[in-house]
Amino acid sequence: MAQPIAPGALTGLRVIEMGQLIAGPFAAKTLADFGADVIKIEPPGTGDPLRTWRLVKDGTSVWWQVQSRNKRSIAIDLRQPEGQDIARKLIAEADVLIENFRPGTLEQWGMSYETLARTNPGLVMLRISGYGQTGPYRDLPGFGLIGEAMGGLRHLCGEPGRVPVRCGISIGDTLAALHGTIGVLMALHHRNANGGKGQVIDVALAEATLNVMESLIPEYSAFGVVREAAGSALPGIAPSNAYKCSDGYVLVAGNGDSIFKRLMEAIGRGDLAKDPELAGNAGRVRRVAEIDAAIEQWTRTRTVSDILDRLGKASVPAGKVYTAKDIALDPHFRARDMILRQRTRDGYELDVPGIVPKLLGTPGAIHTSAPGVGDDTDAVMREFGWSEEDIRALRQRGVVA
């Protein structure tokens, strides 16, 4: 069941979301989970395309149920000048605006930051795009997979010498969203501590990916090394790999000096545990093939369950490769409320991921299920001062729905 409703860390924060699909909406979802009032502007009719992406139940993607929980939907045709006027009025009373259109789109609609800040100088504006708001690639279309490739991630994914693979989700979009969320919180802190002035946060998909690439660039700078794909291993850190078992694979991270010794003792290789050359990571890296072979010789004749039990008792980090079913049934995820039961507006029950991070004083919660297109148009517009007559007239002209 959903967590009990209580004031969140961001209660009182008003956010206007003008993005669609993944990056912008994920950032807004993160804020909404912690109490922010997120008003999502969608085009009338079909709304956000994510509503029909991947597997659909009762006409709506189940992904949508996660991405848009805790939000309100107002349907506005932003191609019409009257629709743009409505958006400007909403933004004038907001703390945060989130958008992930191609750079220049809001400017074409008369909604540059400079224009919006004249009536709302405290506005914090998060802009997520493929390459950022400046630079020679600014106007190129950029989706998550392009950002992942440009940021260096795609080159490292997969087996050596084979086609680069993606990790199976739109990780570039999510990384950008999380960087954007951090930027919003920093900008709000600065605004509140420095006279109420807002600012723009410019997040590029490619840069958000590059930011998590660890030693990729300094290794090239210092040594001319171009890091390559390495399959399931983690080059330069040993042992850390996936090992074949009798009924699948097990992941083992034995790369700490004391952990390595415990691992070797657990698999019956006390000789390697006592080898002085393997006492530090540098020596283990030089002999990683030998170490991996010793570990897999032990794992191949045992089940995943048996290996995890033995390594757990030896305090060696190890785990299995979880499927969606494994996650859904795992007692630890359940105990930590990482699988929550949510009732959709279509009337069915759905398991959804819980809320991260865990704030113990002001925890996040699922307050409302994901809205239909324009479910909250009338209520939101009344809050912002439009009369019922105004709303009816705008609806008749196709400006809102």
Side-chain angles (χ1 to χ4, degrees):
M1 295 184 60
Q3 298 173 356
I5 295 175
L10 300 178
T11 296
L13 189 74
R14 176 171 282 167
V15 179
I16 305 299
E17 180 199 308
M18 295 181 70
Q20 60 181 12
L21 296 175
I22 305 173
F26 190 96
K29 187 268 290 188
T30 303
L31 300 174
D33 280 350
F34 290 92
D37 177 20
V38 174
I39 300 170
K40 179 178 179 66
I41 297 178
E42 299 187 80
T46 57
D48 189 325
L50 190 75
R51 289 178 175 275
T52 57
W53 274 26
R54 291 192 56 77
L55 301 185
V56 171
K57 184 175 175 63
D58 293 346
T60 303
S61 165
V62 293
W63 185 359
W64 171 260
Q65 307 296 349
V66 178
Q67 188 85 311
S68 295
R69 66 193 188 195
N70 293 327
K71 299 179 185 179
R72 297 194 285 170
S73 170
I74 177 170
I76 306 174
D77 186 354
L78 292 174
R79 298 168 300 179
Q80 297 193 44
E82 283 185 295
Q84 296 160 15
D85 288 341
I86 295 171
R88 278 190 287 269
K89 185 170 182 179
L90 298 179
I91 296 165
E93 299 183 40
D95 297 288
V96 179
L97 170 63
I98 297 175
E99 66 98 0
N100 63 340
F101 299 116
R102 192 183 297 191
T105 300
L106 285 192
E107 284 76 6
Q108 292 172 7
W109 292 341
M111 284 183 267
S112 68
Y113 183 77
E114 292 71 23
T115 299
L116 298 173
R118 289 192 195 108
T119 54
N120 186 356
L123 179 67
V124 169
M125 184 179 190
L126 171 58
R127 314 194 74 172
I128 303 178
S129 60
Y131 306 99
Q133 301 297 314
T134 61
Y137 302 160
R138 170 187 185 271
D139 295 321
L140 295 176
F143 268 32
L145 80 164
I146 308 301
E148 294 163 27
M150 186 177 178
L153 179 62
R154 187 63 67 94
H155 183 68
L156 299 186
C157 293
E159 298 292 336
R162 303 192 67 178
V163 61
V165 299
R166 71 184 305 165
C167 68
I169 58 170
S170 304
I171 191 68
D173 289 286
T174 307
L175 287 172
L178 293 174
H179 280 85
T181 303
I182 294 167
V184 166
L185 299 177
M186 288 190 291
L188 289 170
H189 174 76
H190 180 269
R191 183 190 74 176
N192 296 340
N194 293 275
K197 184 173 176 57
Q199 61 181 295
V200 175
I201 301 121
D202 178 4
V203 175
L205 297 171
E207 293 166 2
T209 302
L210 176 59
N211 193 40
V212 301
M213 294 308 294
E214 301 177 351
S215 61
L216 186 78
I217 296 303
E219 286 176 1
Y220 174 73
S221 177
F223 308 109
V225 171
V226 176
R227 187 166 169 178
E228 301 291 343
S232 61
L234 188 58
I237 301 173
S240 182
N241 213 330
Y243 301 94
K244 181 69 176 172
C245 310
S246 64
D247 60 347
Y249 286 88
V250 67
L251 306 176
V252 180
N255 43 287
D257 294 347
S258 59
I259 295 173
F260 173 74
K261 292 180 180 179
R262 294 197 298 272
L263 171 60
M264 292 300 101
E265 294 289 354
I267 69 173
R269 292 302 303 268
D271 57 316
L272 296 179
K274 298 178 179 66
D275 189 327
E277 186 181 355
L278 304 181
N281 184 67
R284 294 194 296 271
V285 169
R286 288 192 293 269
R287 293 170 58 183
V288 66
E290 176 189 354
I291 295 170
D292 280 346
I295 296 171
E296 191 157 284
Q297 184 179 23
W298 181 76
T299 61
R300 275 187 174 276
T301 60
R302 292 169 171 81
T303 64
V304 170
S305 178
D306 179 45
I307 293 166
L308 295 181
D309 180 61
R310 290 170 184 253
L311 295 185
K313 290 175 180 176
S315 294
V316 174
K320 69 176 184 179
V321 180
Y322 272 51
T323 65
K325 182 178 180 180
D326 294 324
I327 294 170
L329 299 178
D330 187 88
H332 186 78
F333 279 138
R334 293 280 176 177
R336 290 193 39 91
D337 288 329
M338 278 310 300
I339 305 295
L340 297 177
R341 196 71 172 167
Q342 177 178 319
R343 186 171 185 82
T344 71
R345 297 202 186 185
D346 294 319
Y348 63 85
E349 300 281 329
L350 188 69
D351 279 351
V352 297
I355 295 169
V356 180
K358 305 293 186 189
L359 273 64
L360 301 188
T362 52
I366 300 176
H367 300 297
T368 60
S369 55
V373 180
D375 272 1
D376 306 289
T377 298
D378 289 31
V380 170
M381 294 190 71
R382 285 195 298 267
E383 285 177 26
F384 282 79
W386 280 275
S387 68
E388 296 289 352
E389 184 178 350
D390 291 335
I391 298 170
R392 280 196 300 272
L394 287 165
R395 183 166 283 121
Q396 288 171 356
R397 294 196 293 275
V399 179
V400 301

